[in-house]
Amino acid sequence: MKIEEIKHPELKNHIQMIYMHGENQNQNAIEKTESEIKECIKDKYFIISIEDGEPVKIPYANDGEYLVPIFTDEHEYTMGMQYFSFNVMDENKEYVIEKLDYFKKLKEDPNFLGYIVNIARVSYIINLALL
């Protein structure tokens, strides 16, 4: 599978709906959309940045917590890597196309907070309960 073949507009739509439900403080709709996200990502392949064979970890706090970025299409990946370069985080970065379950071992790490979708906009964190 090539990077240009990865497209997940349905996930982007779900993410937009999560924000709208959050603004309306509609917790039931948020939970429903999160279950739809869980179904959406179950068998999909995503673009994941790696360095030295490991997923890139974006520091989130001072105590070692981190997020792992995933990208839903080539444009997101390009923008995300530009974001990395602005923050001097892009040295030796490559990408792989994998299913998220390939990285489920990360769930065992207490410092792993989840996957962040579209790092350039910091638009959504897929929490561990959705995996």
Side-chain angles (χ1 to χ4, degrees):
M1 184 174 295
K2 298 176 182 174
I3 188 170
E4 60 268 16
E5 295 173 350
I6 302 293
K7 292 182 174 63
H8 297 303
E10 71 280 9
L11 179 57
K12 290 182 180 184
N13 290 338
H14 289 318
I15 290 169
Q16 292 299 326
M17 293 305 293
I18 288 276
Y19 282 112
M20 287 175 48
H21 297 320
E23 288 176 2
N24 295 326
Q25 299 178 355
N26 188 342
Q27 189 60 36
N28 289 337
I30 289 173
E31 291 170 7
K32 180 178 182 287
T33 305
E34 283 190 340
S35 69
E36 292 169 352
I37 287 175
K38 188 173 186 174
E39 278 300 307
C40 175
I41 65 176
K42 187 168 61 173
D43 298 316
K44 302 284 192 299
Y45 287 82
F46 289 92
I47 304 164
I48 302 171
S49 292
I50 61 167
E51 183 176 21
D52 299 327
E54 296 291 325
V56 171
K57 297 176 178 180
I58 300 173
Y60 189 78
N62 292 328
D63 54 359
E65 293 180 328
Y66 63 90
L67 301 165
V68 171
I70 65 172
F71 306 94
T72 65
D73 59 36
E74 185 177 14
H75 176 71
E76 248 183 36
Y77 177 77
T78 302
M79 296 297 289
M81 295 316 286
Q82 284 177 3
Y83 177 89
F84 281 140
S85 68
F86 290 143
N87 291 282
V88 196
M89 297 168 67
D90 68 339
E91 294 177 14
N92 303 317
K93 303 287 188 292
E94 298 178 10
Y95 74 87
V96 294
I97 295 171
E98 293 284 356
K99 290 185 177 179
L100 289 182
D101 58 3
Y102 178 81
F103 296 103
K104 281 191 177 178
K105 63 183 178 181
L106 289 171
K107 289 176 71 171
E108 299 168 6
D109 185 343
N111 292 324
F112 177 52
L113 298 178
Y115 296 92
I116 185 164
V117 181
N118 195 350
I119 181 60
R121 295 191 184 96
V122 194
S123 65
Y124 189 72
I125 295 172
I126 295 180
N127 65 47
L128 299 179
L130 297 178
L131 301 176

